[in-house]
């Protein structure tokens, strides 16, 4: 078997092509332009690259972005104050604090300070809790992107055995909850799982987000499985690879995402989607009669 390559760039481009129309409609009917505030604390080079990618993606579709580069020395109270200002700023429909934060900042309190209605990263406790009980306003972008990718490839989720490798708050845990909500049977594995292969071999859909290159080898994958590689690892020679032995596993899977060009482009796309939907929600609340079809 040779796997179909799931093209995340093409899927992302198809979704992004719809955004300018939604943004134009908001502007024409309510005079609103979606706005995203991005707060970058400190000088982590990887975070700076992620932030500039997000800003560029906003520009490309017509979302107004506001970037705040804050010094590592910012106090916890000052950072919370900046977030509250943005929560109260009508031009802003999404507030995103790039992670990780310096050690003197309490990340959980920072995320809890972002208004739920502007939490386009989906990291606020309310939005996380909503993944368990229903009622999430915004789903976290990477797992949301994986679900969109599966849907766009017409890969069924309901009733499938899904194994998620990686139990982070940003990807693994919300991924498992979002797939459970779609009636998959889900197991979560992590760094302490003994004999990982005995779980992964059962997966109809295997989602890997562990941050370990070559963690998943062909003998760990069921013939015909769908393999979604969320890993992004830079090798000593500079190459970017995922967590899956792509060449080997592609001979056994029925479909597989490449790295780069798989899940990565979907993550930023879902951030754009959440930001536009936030502007649509707020406009609908402010202008009672106006409701876009996407709500
Ligand atoms: N750091 C790594 N991934 C993310 C993300 O999706 N959102 C934010 N805010 N920070 C991150």
């Amino acid at each position: 078997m040779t796997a179909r390559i799931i093209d995340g760039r093409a899927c992302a481009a198809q979704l992004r092509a719809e955004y300018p129309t939604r943004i134009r409609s908001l502007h024409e009917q309510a005079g609103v332009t979606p706005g995203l505030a991005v707060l970058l604390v400190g000088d982590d080079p990887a975070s700076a690259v992620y932030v500039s990618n997000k800003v560029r993606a906003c520009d490309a579709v017509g979302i107004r972005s506001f970037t705040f580069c804050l010094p590592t020395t910012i106090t916890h109270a000052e950072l919370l104050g900046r977030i509250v200002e943005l929560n109260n700023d009508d031009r802003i429909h999404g507030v995103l604090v790039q992670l990780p934060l310096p050690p003197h900042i309490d990340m959980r309190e920072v995320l809890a300070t972002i208004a739920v209605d502007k939490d386009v990263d989906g990291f606020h406790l309310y939005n996380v809790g909503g993944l368990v009980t229903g009622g999430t306003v915004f789903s976290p972008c990477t797992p949301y992107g994986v679900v969109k990718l599966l849907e766009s490839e017409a890969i069924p989720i309901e009733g499938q055995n899904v194994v998620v490798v990686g139990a982070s708050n940003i990807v693994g845990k919300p991924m498992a909850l979002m797939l459970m909500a779609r009636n998959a049977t889900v197991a979560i594995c992590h760094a302490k799982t003994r004999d990982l292969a005995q779980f992964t071999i059962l997966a109809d859909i295997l989602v890997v987000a562990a941050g370990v290159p070559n963690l998943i080898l062909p003998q760990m994958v069921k013939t015909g499985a769908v393999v979604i590689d969320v890993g992004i690892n830079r090798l000593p020679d500079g190459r970017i690879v995922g967590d899956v032995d792509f060449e080997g596993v592609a001979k056994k899977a029925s479909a597989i995402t490449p790295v780069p060009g798989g899940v990565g482009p979907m993550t930023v796309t879902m951030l754009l989607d959440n930001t536009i939907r936030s502007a649509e929600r707020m406009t609908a609340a402010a202008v009672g009669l106006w409701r876009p079809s996407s709500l």
Side-chain angles (χ1 to χ4, degrees):
M1 175 169 282
T2 304
R4 176 169 94 248
I5 311 296
I6 300 175
D7 186 345
R9 287 197 187 106
C11 183
Q14 203 175 356
L15 292 169
R16 288 186 200 195
E18 295 165 7
Y19 298 158
T21 310
R22 280 168 68 185
I23 292 172
R24 222 171 12 252
S25 159
L26 261 173
H27 191 73
E28 283 167 6
Q29 297 185 40
V32 170
T33 300
L36 174 68
V38 182
L39 290 85
L40 174 62
V41 183
D43 45 21
D44 176 48
S47 290
V49 171
Y50 287 133
V51 165
S52 71
N53 285 344
K54 290 169 186 177
V55 167
R56 211 155 359 102
C58 283
D59 291 345
V61 295
I63 294 172
R64 194 187 292 160
S65 63
F66 304 79
T67 306
F68 300 89
C69 295
L70 306 169
T72 317
T73 51
I74 192 167
T75 67
H76 187 60
E78 280 170 333
L79 180 56
L80 296 189
R82 297 299 287 263
I83 293 169
V84 171
E85 278 172 26
L86 296 166
N87 285 344
N88 294 323
D89 186 334
D90 289 342
R91 297 168 306 164
I92 306 286
H93 306 93
V95 176
L96 180 156
V97 178
Q98 186 65 30
L99 303 177
L101 289 166
H104 67 282
I105 305 278
D106 178 345
M107 179 190 69
R108 277 192 284 195
E109 198 176 345
V110 166
L111 297 179
T113 301
I114 297 170
V116 171
D117 284 339
K118 297 191 178 186
D119 174 38
V120 289
D121 246 341
F123 293 167
H124 187 286
L125 261 186
Y126 180 93
N127 281 319
V128 176
L131 295 178
V132 178
T133 59
T136 292
V137 182
F138 298 110
S139 298
C141 300
T142 299
Y144 186 21
V146 171
V147 168
K148 284 275 188 189
L149 211 45
L150 293 171
E151 285 174 356
S152 87
E153 292 286 317
I155 293 167
I157 296 173
E158 184 165 291
Q160 300 297 296
N161 288 343
V162 178
V163 176
V164 179
V165 181
S168 70
N169 289 343
I170 292 182
V171 183
K173 288 182 206 164
M175 182 82 261
L177 291 164
M178 290 172 76
L179 294 167
M180 274 172 68
R182 289 162 177 80
N183 298 318
T185 303
V186 182
I188 310 185
C189 300
H190 45 74
K192 301 274 193 255
T193 299
R194 274 184 289 118
D195 192 3
L196 183 60
Q198 70 172 325
F199 292 95
T200 58
I201 198 75
L202 298 176
D204 302 312
I205 301 173
L206 179 61
V207 183
V208 192
V212 180
N214 273 320
L215 179 67
I216 303 297
L217 303 172
Q219 61 270 30
M220 301 166 73
V221 176
K222 183 161 92 170
T223 300
V226 173
V227 179
I228 306 292
D229 191 349
V230 187
I232 302 177
N233 308 291
R234 186 179 287 278
L235 298 181
D237 65 7
R239 275 186 305 140
I240 301 287
V241 297
D243 293 351
V244 176
D245 164 15
F246 180 82
E247 299 297 328
V249 171
K251 293 191 178 81
K252 217 166 163 200
S254 62
I256 187 168
T257 58
V259 177
V263 175
M266 295 298 289
T267 296
V268 177
T269 304
M270 294 304 104
L271 175 66
L272 304 178
D273 196 284
N274 279 347
T275 304
I276 297 166
R277 199 164 53 80
S278 178
E280 289 170 345
R281 288 179 81 244
M282 283 183 202
T283 305
V287 186
L289 291 175
W290 188 79
R291 284 201 91 75
S293 55
S294 55
L295 285 187

mmCIF file of all heavy atoms in Angstrom, residues 39 47 50 54 96-100 111 121 123 141-142 170 267, ligand 1:
data_model
loop_
_atom_site.group_PDB
_atom_site.id
_atom_site.type_symbol
_atom_site.label_atom_id
_atom_site.label_comp_id
_atom_site.label_asym_id
_atom_site.label_seq_id
_atom_site.Cartn_x
_atom_site.Cartn_y
_atom_site.Cartn_z
ATOM 1 N N LEU A 39 0.531 39.251 21.478
ATOM 2 C CA LEU A 39 1.505 39.708 22.467
ATOM 3 C C LEU A 39 2.673 38.737 22.492
ATOM 4 O O LEU A 39 2.484 37.527 22.684
ATOM 5 C CB LEU A 39 0.873 39.799 23.862
ATOM 6 C CG LEU A 39 -0.144 40.926 24.047
ATOM 7 C CD1 LEU A 39 -1.521 40.486 23.592
ATOM 8 C CD2 LEU A 39 -0.211 41.363 25.504
ATOM 9 N N SER A 47 9.578 31.861 18.750
ATOM 10 C CA SER A 47 8.295 32.543 18.965
ATOM 11 C C SER A 47 8.161 33.734 18.020
ATOM 12 O O SER A 47 7.072 33.996 17.489
ATOM 13 C CB SER A 47 8.183 33.026 20.411
ATOM 14 O OG SER A 47 8.040 31.930 21.282
ATOM 15 N N TYR A 50 7.062 32.436 14.704
ATOM 16 C CA TYR A 50 5.638 32.055 14.724
ATOM 17 C C TYR A 50 4.749 33.301 14.647
ATOM 18 O O TYR A 50 3.767 33.344 13.912
ATOM 19 C CB TYR A 50 5.298 31.259 15.992
ATOM 20 C CG TYR A 50 5.840 29.846 16.007
ATOM 21 C CD1 TYR A 50 6.503 29.344 17.118
ATOM 22 C CD2 TYR A 50 5.675 28.998 14.915
ATOM 23 C CE1 TYR A 50 6.996 28.043 17.135
ATOM 24 C CE2 TYR A 50 6.163 27.703 14.926
ATOM 25 C CZ TYR A 50 6.822 27.221 16.040
ATOM 26 O OH TYR A 50 7.306 25.951 16.047
ATOM 27 N N LYS A 54 1.996 34.519 11.759
ATOM 28 C CA LYS A 54 0.586 34.805 12.049
ATOM 29 C C LYS A 54 0.201 36.176 11.507
ATOM 30 O O LYS A 54 -0.865 36.351 10.905
ATOM 31 C CB LYS A 54 0.338 34.731 13.569
ATOM 32 C CG LYS A 54 0.428 33.300 14.102
ATOM 33 C CD LYS A 54 0.446 33.214 15.626
ATOM 34 C CE LYS A 54 0.682 31.763 16.059
ATOM 35 N NZ LYS A 54 0.784 31.568 17.495
ATOM 36 N N LEU A 96 -4.140 37.051 21.549
ATOM 37 C CA LEU A 96 -3.291 35.854 21.574
ATOM 38 C C LEU A 96 -1.985 36.205 22.282
ATOM 39 O O LEU A 96 -1.333 37.183 21.907
ATOM 40 C CB LEU A 96 -3.031 35.430 20.133
ATOM 41 C CG LEU A 96 -2.179 34.206 19.843
ATOM 42 C CD1 LEU A 96 -2.537 33.646 18.480
ATOM 43 C CD2 LEU A 96 -0.683 34.508 19.885
ATOM 44 N N VAL A 97 -1.658 35.455 23.315
ATOM 45 C CA VAL A 97 -0.362 35.620 23.986
ATOM 46 C C VAL A 97 0.515 34.451 23.540
ATOM 47 O O VAL A 97 0.184 33.283 23.812
ATOM 48 C CB VAL A 97 -0.517 35.622 25.519
ATOM 49 C CG1 VAL A 97 0.849 35.748 26.187
ATOM 50 C CG2 VAL A 97 -1.443 36.747 25.961
ATOM 51 N N GLN A 98 1.596 34.758 22.838
ATOM 52 C CA GLN A 98 2.455 33.686 22.328
ATOM 53 C C GLN A 98 3.133 32.970 23.493
ATOM 54 O O GLN A 98 3.655 33.599 24.417
ATOM 55 C CB GLN A 98 3.504 34.288 21.369
ATOM 56 C CG GLN A 98 4.361 33.253 20.655
ATOM 57 C CD GLN A 98 3.554 32.364 19.699
ATOM 58 O OE1 GLN A 98 2.553 32.791 19.139
ATOM 59 N NE2 GLN A 98 3.994 31.136 19.515
ATOM 60 N N LEU A 99 3.123 31.657 23.451
ATOM 61 C CA LEU A 99 3.773 30.825 24.469
ATOM 62 C C LEU A 99 5.061 30.248 23.883
ATOM 63 O O LEU A 99 5.148 30.088 22.670
ATOM 64 C CB LEU A 99 2.830 29.685 24.883
ATOM 65 C CG LEU A 99 1.455 30.122 25.402
ATOM 66 C CD1 LEU A 99 0.608 28.899 25.708
ATOM 67 C CD2 LEU A 99 1.579 31.019 26.616
ATOM 68 N N PRO A 100 6.069 29.926 24.679
ATOM 69 C CA PRO A 100 6.074 29.984 26.144
ATOM 70 C C PRO A 100 6.320 31.400 26.666
ATOM 71 O O PRO A 100 6.792 32.268 25.937
ATOM 72 C CB PRO A 100 7.264 29.073 26.493
ATOM 73 C CG PRO A 100 8.196 29.194 25.326
ATOM 74 C CD PRO A 100 7.314 29.393 24.122
ATOM 75 N N LEU A 111 -3.607 33.282 30.730
ATOM 76 C CA LEU A 111 -4.603 32.734 29.796
ATOM 77 C C LEU A 111 -6.021 32.939 30.324
ATOM 78 O O LEU A 111 -6.947 33.173 29.540
ATOM 79 C CB LEU A 111 -4.324 31.247 29.530
ATOM 80 C CG LEU A 111 -2.977 30.945 28.853
ATOM 81 C CD1 LEU A 111 -2.783 29.448 28.667
ATOM 82 C CD2 LEU A 111 -2.852 31.664 27.508
ATOM 83 N N ASP A 121 -7.179 31.544 20.562
ATOM 84 C CA ASP A 121 -6.271 30.389 20.705
ATOM 85 C C ASP A 121 -6.992 29.206 21.363
ATOM 86 O O ASP A 121 -6.496 28.079 21.312
ATOM 87 C CB ASP A 121 -5.089 30.782 21.606
ATOM 88 C CG ASP A 121 -3.759 30.790 20.876
ATOM 89 O OD1 ASP A 121 -3.662 30.170 19.802
ATOM 90 O OD2 ASP A 121 -2.831 31.422 21.403
ATOM 91 N N PHE A 123 -7.343 28.693 24.620
ATOM 92 C CA PHE A 123 -6.578 28.203 25.770
ATOM 93 C C PHE A 123 -7.193 28.605 27.111
ATOM 94 O O PHE A 123 -6.722 28.183 28.164
ATOM 95 C CB PHE A 123 -5.132 28.733 25.726
ATOM 96 C CG PHE A 123 -4.304 28.191 24.581
ATOM 97 C CD1 PHE A 123 -3.081 28.782 24.258
ATOM 98 C CD2 PHE A 123 -4.721 27.096 23.837
ATOM 99 C CE1 PHE A 123 -2.310 28.293 23.210
ATOM 100 C CE2 PHE A 123 -3.950 26.597 22.786
ATOM 101 C CZ PHE A 123 -2.740 27.199 22.475
ATOM 102 N N CYS A 141 -6.303 25.854 17.907
ATOM 103 C CA CYS A 141 -6.121 25.896 16.449
ATOM 104 C C CYS A 141 -5.531 24.618 15.855
ATOM 105 O O CYS A 141 -5.969 24.184 14.786
ATOM 106 C CB CYS A 141 -5.255 27.098 16.095
ATOM 107 S SG CYS A 141 -6.005 28.655 16.619
ATOM 108 N N THR A 142 -4.564 23.998 16.522
ATOM 109 C CA THR A 142 -3.934 22.830 15.887
ATOM 110 C C THR A 142 -4.890 21.639 15.838
ATOM 111 O O THR A 142 -5.111 21.071 14.754
ATOM 112 C CB THR A 142 -2.603 22.482 16.590
ATOM 113 O OG1 THR A 142 -1.725 23.602 16.462
ATOM 114 C CG2 THR A 142 -1.953 21.261 15.957
ATOM 115 N N ILE A 170 -1.874 21.907 24.589
ATOM 116 C CA ILE A 170 -2.119 22.640 23.345
ATOM 117 C C ILE A 170 -2.622 21.710 22.243
ATOM 118 O O ILE A 170 -3.459 22.091 21.442
ATOM 119 C CB ILE A 170 -0.835 23.378 22.897
ATOM 120 C CG1 ILE A 170 -0.495 24.507 23.862
ATOM 121 C CG2 ILE A 170 -0.968 23.919 21.483
ATOM 122 C CD1 ILE A 170 0.723 25.324 23.473
ATOM 123 N N THR A 267 -2.874 25.158 11.190
ATOM 124 C CA THR A 267 -2.934 25.795 12.505
ATOM 125 C C THR A 267 -3.184 27.296 12.359
ATOM 126 O O THR A 267 -4.097 27.860 12.981
ATOM 127 C CB THR A 267 -1.616 25.540 13.277
ATOM 128 O OG1 THR A 267 -1.494 24.142 13.510
ATOM 129 C CG2 THR A 267 -1.593 26.261 14.609
HETATM 130 N N1 LIG B 1 3.242 28.373 21.176
HETATM 131 C C1 LIG B 1 3.286 27.236 20.456
HETATM 132 N N2 LIG B 1 2.107 27.031 19.826
HETATM 133 C C2 LIG B 1 1.304 28.050 20.186
HETATM 134 C C3 LIG B 1 -0.035 28.392 19.856
HETATM 135 O O1 LIG B 1 -0.738 27.697 19.119
HETATM 136 N N3 LIG B 1 -0.498 29.539 20.420
HETATM 137 C C4 LIG B 1 0.262 30.314 21.239
HETATM 138 N N4 LIG B 1 -0.296 31.395 21.755
HETATM 139 N N5 LIG B 1 1.494 30.007 21.562
HETATM 140 C C5 LIG B 1 2.013 28.893 21.024
#
